[in-house]
Amino acid sequence: MTAGPPGRLTVKARRLGEREMTPLVVLILVVQVFIAESAPAKDEIMYLPGLAKQSSFRQYSGYLNTSENKYLHYWFVESQGNPKKDPVVLWLNGGPGCSSLDGLLNEHGPFLIQPDGKTLQYNPYSWNLIANMLYLESPAGVGFSYDDDQQYRTNDTEVSFNNYLAVKKFFQLFPEYKTNAFYITGESYGGIYVPTLAERVMTDRKINFKGMAVGNGLSSWEFNDNSLVYFAYYHGLLKSSLWLDLQKFCCSVGTCNFHNNKDKNCMLKVKEVFQIVWYSGLNVYNLYADCIGGVPGTIRFDENQKQLVLYDLGTLFVKNEMSLMWKKKLHDMYQNNRNVRLDPPCTNTTACSNYLNSPKVRNALHIPPSVQKWEMCSMKVNLNYRALYSDMKDQYLKLLAARQYQILVYNGDVDMACNFMGDEWFVNSLQQKDQVNRRTWLYKDENGDQVGGFVKEFDNLAFLTVKGAGHMVPSDKPKAAFTFFSRFLHKEPY
């Protein structure tokens, strides 16, 4: 590990004069420069199990101590390009309560977990080809992150504050990156995490914040709920009689409210829609993809992990009586049987769980033995999480008013959990002036130029869809995702 930029020690030594340059003074200077200007040696991953060949880029895993004895686990992978100049990009998965290591090992990290739960394969479309990627497990209680008192009751504001403290701590540990451009990115409930953190970071002049990107994010409860009903109908999921009843009970004067309508008949019909979307066996994260492992019930028993598995995160996206009833049901089940795991629907987290809970991997990542077993999503955090915001309009408008931050909202167009229509409505509600009308955007594959989806651009803001992708865009369309990510960072036209 180098102690810092070449020549800095020499310059400092010259200031002392030749007569003062004793061996002891030289040693002290070396130690000072090493401490002040280099990454933490104790966190460096020296050997990562599962790789046939160890990486040529450096990577680190450790903890960022924030407030109230909270320790957020991070995994930082340096850019394969030019680490000293490439931007630092923070990634946050959602839930709330799900691990950002999902983004690393299943979406856009430098290596992807294989079905055997033991081996990793290098990702040719890794985002760290052009950026220094920081994956943060947040809030405390998620993944390998923890709180000394193990009380994981939290909310949107507390999480954004602790994420901000974690970012500050990261740049203290890695001061060589403090002048690099910094971006905040995430997906799903990251639609709340990302802009609330950006709102804090934008006021900190010590952080070279340049922008944010949100993928399939929850930007507005109202738009998300209302648009889902239209999405379901126009994708052939609802019978005509149900659609007519929804029109009858939920709509008036050309406007429909499927979000918080007080009409009981309306809410009963909306409940039917959500039952079809979330619990009929469809893959809610990608309508046209199969469910991994077949159509799941709400609960199953995992023979490998010897525990119950619940498939549910969806009702947190619906603020109505049904979601409150289901959350109480989950809470009661968790209280009666603590050996229960929460997984996103139609996913199989066994490979990730087996890999990250391997003693050799935990040791390589510097995870203390006292830290809990890793799970993709924390039931305890999920059930104790309090959502405070109904939408992110204020945060976006603050960022846009500064006229200096790049913002990208992107959506896979076959996701139902956070569908593209709701996010497009949200972006339109910001009432920004169009710079580029909605048009196709292209990327190259082995067959030449392909339509990646559609894009609409404003001043410092773009809304982009990804054709045929679901909730986890980089998993479904890795090359297309890398293309728009590169254009976002380099401020190139989409």
Side-chain angles (χ1 to χ4, degrees):
M1 178 179 296
T2 58
R8 186 163 297 186
L9 177 58
T10 305
V11 172
K12 195 168 184 179
R14 285 174 181 166
R15 290 175 180 171
L16 288 174
E18 294 296 331
R19 289 178 298 176
E20 296 180 55
M21 285 302 294
T22 66
L24 178 59
V25 170
V26 173
L27 177 61
I28 291 172
L29 287 174
V30 170
V31 171
Q32 287 177 340
V33 174
F34 180 85
I35 292 173
E37 300 186 25
S38 61
K42 67 180 179 62
D43 288 355
E44 185 168 6
I45 299 172
M46 305 307 296
Y47 176 84
L48 187 63
L51 287 173
K53 180 182 179 181
Q54 294 299 302
S55 66
S56 59
F57 53 87
R58 286 178 173 171
Q59 51 180 323
Y60 300 83
S61 170
Y63 285 90
L64 303 173
N65 183 206
T66 61
S67 62
E68 301 175 359
N69 298 315
K70 297 182 189 298
Y71 297 84
L72 300 187
H73 174 248
Y74 78 92
W75 190 335
F76 176 59
V77 291
E78 288 189 342
S79 171
Q80 297 182 50
N82 187 342
K84 290 182 179 180
K85 293 185 178 181
D86 287 342
V88 174
V89 177
L90 172 66
W91 175 263
L92 297 166
N93 275 88
C98 295
S99 168
S100 295
L101 299 193
D102 184 25
L104 193 159
L105 293 174
N106 288 313
E107 297 188 60
H108 44 62
F111 19 71
L112 303 176
I113 189 70
Q114 299 304 294
D116 62 6
K118 297 178 182 179
T119 57
L120 302 171
Q121 293 290 332
Y122 281 98
N123 178 7
Y125 305 111
S126 172
W127 287 9
N128 91 313
L129 289 169
I130 56 174
N132 300 288
M133 295 296 302
L134 172 60
Y135 297 87
L136 184 68
E137 297 196 282
S138 174
V142 173
F144 290 131
S145 297
Y146 67 95
D147 188 327
D148 280 340
D149 63 14
Q150 297 187 9
Q151 296 300 311
Y152 296 123
R153 188 175 300 278
T154 190
N155 58 60
D156 293 333
T157 300
E158 183 180 9
V159 168
S160 71
F161 181 62
N162 282 308
N163 287 344
Y164 169 65
L165 294 178
V167 169
K168 296 278 285 182
K169 185 68 174 179
F170 171 81
F171 285 114
Q172 290 173 17
L173 291 177
F174 295 84
E176 62 266 44
Y177 289 105
K178 63 186 177 184
T179 59
N180 293 49
F182 177 63
Y183 292 86
I184 305 171
T185 62
E187 71 185 12
S188 194
Y189 202 80
I192 304 294
Y193 293 159
V194 171
T196 53
L197 174 58
E199 183 183 21
R200 294 182 186 275
V201 169
M202 69 180 288
T203 64
D204 191 328
R205 294 184 178 180
K206 293 182 179 180
I207 299 174
N208 190 18
F209 179 57
K210 294 297 184 181
M212 68 177 194
V214 175
N216 290 79
L218 178 63
S219 302
S220 163
W221 295 90
E222 181 177 356
F223 287 146
N224 195 62
D225 290 351
N226 278 333
S227 59
L228 179 57
V229 177
Y230 288 102
F231 183 99
Y233 177 65
Y234 288 112
H235 282 80
L237 307 187
L238 311 183
K239 59 185 179 182
S240 298
S241 59
L242 175 55
W243 177 247
L244 290 173
D245 284 342
L246 287 163
Q247 298 275 302
K248 177 181 178 181
F249 298 123
C250 304
C251 307
S252 63
V253 198
T255 302
C256 299
N257 177 13
F258 307 117
H259 169 62
N260 59 358
N261 202 307
K262 303 305 180 184
D263 186 292
K264 290 186 177 180
N265 289 318
C266 172
M267 294 318 296
L268 283 173
K269 297 303 175 182
V270 171
K271 182 178 179 180
E272 284 188 46
V273 175
F274 286 116
Q275 288 285 359
I276 292 168
V277 169
W278 285 95
Y279 303 115
S280 67
L282 296 171
N283 186 336
V284 71
Y285 293 129
N286 186 328
L287 174 59
Y288 299 132
D290 294 333
C291 274
I292 296 176
V295 175
T298 304
I299 306 169
R300 72 171 177 83
F301 184 76
D302 188 325
E303 292 287 350
N304 294 321
Q305 300 288 327
K306 302 299 181 186
Q307 64 183 149
L308 290 174
V309 181
L310 295 181
Y311 291 98
D312 185 86
L313 288 173
T315 49
L316 288 183
F317 295 111
V318 190
K319 278 193 170 181
N320 58 26
E321 185 179 351
M322 182 181 75
S323 70
L324 295 176
M325 290 173 59
W326 185 250
K327 194 166 186 178
K328 183 179 184 306
K329 181 179 178 181
L330 291 180
H331 185 271
D332 291 345
M333 186 173 295
Y334 178 67
Q335 293 298 321
N336 294 331
N337 187 346
R338 295 301 179 95
N339 186 29
V340 63
R341 191 175 83 223
L342 182 64
D343 276 2
C346 293
T347 62
N348 187 339
T349 67
T350 300
C352 268
S353 297
N354 286 345
Y355 180 76
L356 291 170
N357 287 314
S358 161
K360 289 182 179 180
V361 174
R362 286 176 65 107
N363 185 58
L365 298 179
H366 316 118
I367 308 301
S370 59
V371 171
Q372 73 272 2
K373 179 181 177 182
W374 187 91
E375 293 181 343
M376 182 67 76
C377 300
S378 167
M379 173 76 79
K380 190 169 186 178
V381 171
N382 183 286
L383 290 175
N384 287 289
Y385 196 96
R386 185 182 173 201
L388 301 178
Y389 295 99
S390 60
D391 66 47
M392 289 287 100
K393 190 170 185 177
D394 288 347
Q395 286 75 14
Y396 274 78
L397 290 177
K398 281 184 183 179
L399 290 159
L400 290 167
R403 305 183 70 82
Q404 59 180 307
Y405 305 116
Q406 296 296 118
I407 301 176
L408 171 64
V409 177
Y410 66 91
N411 284 72
D413 63 8
V414 291
D415 173 36
M416 295 192 289
C418 294
N419 72 86
F420 79 92
M421 196 184 308
D423 276 330
E424 186 164 14
W425 290 355
F426 171 76
V427 169
N428 290 340
S429 76
L430 300 175
Q431 297 183 324
Q432 301 297 297
K433 185 177 179 181
D434 289 14
Q435 294 296 317
V436 178
N437 291 329
R438 201 176 197 270
R439 59 167 175 80
T440 58
W441 66 274
L442 306 178
Y443 72 100
K444 289 185 181 294
D445 69 6
E446 61 276 7
N447 297 312
D449 286 340
Q450 300 293 338
V451 173
F454 292 84
V455 64
K456 180 162 58 176
E457 297 181 61
F458 312 85
D459 281 339
N460 301 318
L461 169 67
F463 173 76
L464 179 146
T465 66
V466 185
K467 181 175 67 72
H471 195 66
M472 285 72 80
V473 171
S475 295
D476 294 336
K477 296 289 182 177
K479 192 164 190 176
F482 179 80
T483 299
F484 73 67
F485 178 67
S486 176
R487 292 173 185 170
F488 167 68
L489 290 186
H490 296 137
K491 300 180 177 63
E492 297 172 346
Y494 292 101

